[in-house]
Amino acid sequence: EYLGPAPELYLPAIFDPKTDNTDPAGLAELIRLINQAPADELGKYIDVNDVLLHAAAETALANWDGLIGTNGLRNFYLYRRSSSRQALLLGWDMDAAFTDYYWPLFDNLNNNILTTRLLTVPSNRQRFLEALDDAAHAMGDDNWLANEIERVYPLIQQAAYTDPYKLCRVGPDIGPCTNAMFDL
């Protein structure tokens, strides 16, 4: 949400600059524009296709801890191009993926102003649905995802069994995980 024009409202409390911090007012302005510019003009300020593809990937992976997370926006870097000042989202930390077999397609999309506003534009909504369909086919065609899980699981199983700090989804919460729970 737009909290006002003062950079200290965002830095470092919400955003923690990792590289160039020479234009902190630019972040406040970007957030203002995301909140207030006409929804069909947001592409001037942020890579809309990138956001839509990222949201579709998180939805397809049932990731509750990211751009469209249950607890708000998390686990992404915001990169601004110096040439156009257009921003990109770079996701990271997808360890909360695959947490729900029945993840609703539009779950959490209204939890942040960016995805809420982007999806009011019919062509953006269509692009999101197409990307979601592409992801579903990529994971489901020829059992690709199931085969990948079966291939990788033996590589991590012993390390997971010996990890005393592993966590699992326990109902709506995250808690200590037994080996039997991990195997589910």
Side-chain angles (χ1 to χ4, degrees), residues 79-100:
Y79 174 78
R80 292 185 350 191
R81 295 180 170 125
S82 61
S83 60
S84 69
R85 306 309 283 165
Q86 184 187 47
L88 299 169
L89 295 176
L90 306 171
W92 67 280
D93 188 18
M94 298 288 278
D95 66 334
F98 302 112
T99 57
D100 192 339

Side-chain angles (χ1 to χ4, degrees), residues 4 13 26 42 70 112 142-144 148-149 171:
L42 289 175
T70 303
N112 75 62
D142 300 322
N143 292 317
W144 175 83
E148 279 298 294
I149 291 169

Side-chain angles (χ1 to χ4, degrees), residues 88-152:
L88 299 169
L89 295 176
L90 306 171
W92 67 280
D93 188 18
M94 298 288 278
D95 66 334
F98 302 112
T99 57
D100 192 339
Y101 292 110
Y102 302 103
W103 190 262
L105 293 182
F106 293 97
D107 202 35
N108 297 331
L109 288 168
N110 288 328
N111 281 1
N112 75 62
I113 193 73
L114 178 58
T115 53
T116 299
R117 297 196 70 228
L118 286 178
L119 293 176
T120 65
V121 178
S123 60
N124 290 344
R125 187 176 183 86
Q126 183 62 34
R127 180 65 184 121
F128 170 78
L129 292 172
E130 288 169 0
L132 194 55
D133 186 59
D134 290 346
H137 283 289
M139 291 188 294
D141 290 352
D142 300 322
N143 292 317
W144 175 83
L145 182 58
N147 292 336
E148 279 298 294
I149 291 169
E150 289 178 24
R151 183 184 69 78
V152 172

